[in-house]
Amino acid sequence: MFRFTKDERLLRRADFLRLSAVARKLHTSSFIVLWTPGETGRRRIGITVSRKVGTAVVRNRIKRLVREYYRHHREALPSIDLNVIAKKGAERLDYHGVCRELDPVVERLAGLEC
């Protein structure tokens, strides 16, 4: 139920570039969420955390928190491709902070008809 399979991940560079070129954006104080209707008919997520945000330990922690959030809230999302980009300041968030940041984004995306 809470598995995160390869089918649910954006893996190819071309997918990330396509999202950067044509996606719509939603901003929070710690994240930028790029989204576009999915090409595969299922929801997929990519997580981007640059070196500006922190050390490898910090970046991996942010990615773990966002993946955990996605696992618990993916059923609310339509079949879209999304990329969650962490901004500076995301390193200070715990899981509940990530929830507070991304809940309004998921609510807005849940209302979409793709």
Side-chain angles (χ1 to χ4, degrees):
M1 179 174 165
F2 292 115
R3 296 186 64 175
F4 187 56
T5 63
K6 265 193 170 179
D7 293 342
E8 296 179 83
R9 298 181 212 162
L10 290 174
L11 298 172
R12 296 184 2 233
R13 184 172 190 267
D15 291 331
F16 285 93
L17 292 176
R18 179 182 58 82
L19 269 172
S20 295
V22 300
R24 299 190 57 193
K25 293 180 185 181
L26 296 171
H27 293 267
T28 70
S29 60
S30 299
F31 297 103
I32 300 170
V33 179
L34 305 175
W35 67 273
T36 187
E39 291 181 341
T40 60
R42 63 177 70 113
R43 65 187 80 82
R44 299 186 306 166
I45 186 172
I47 304 165
T48 305
V49 186
S50 80
R51 279 189 246 157
K52 294 177 183 178
V53 176
T55 64
V57 173
V58 170
R59 295 192 307 269
N60 288 329
R61 182 178 168 279
I62 293 168
K63 288 187 269 188
R64 280 195 309 273
L65 291 172
V66 173
R67 277 195 303 267
E68 183 69 12
Y69 179 84
Y70 174 77
R71 280 197 281 283
H72 288 279
H73 295 86
R74 68 177 149 213
E75 297 303 321
L77 294 169
S79 64
I80 58 174
D81 289 347
L82 67 141
N83 185 15
V84 179
I85 303 169
K87 297 180 188 178
K88 275 190 173 184
E91 69 274 6
R92 292 187 293 269
L93 296 175
D94 60 356
Y95 179 70
H96 296 293
V98 170
C99 290
R100 278 192 303 274
E101 292 269 335
L102 294 179
D103 277 344
V105 173
V106 169
E107 287 175 19
R108 184 162 176 193
L109 293 175
L112 296 175
E113 278 299 317
C114 293

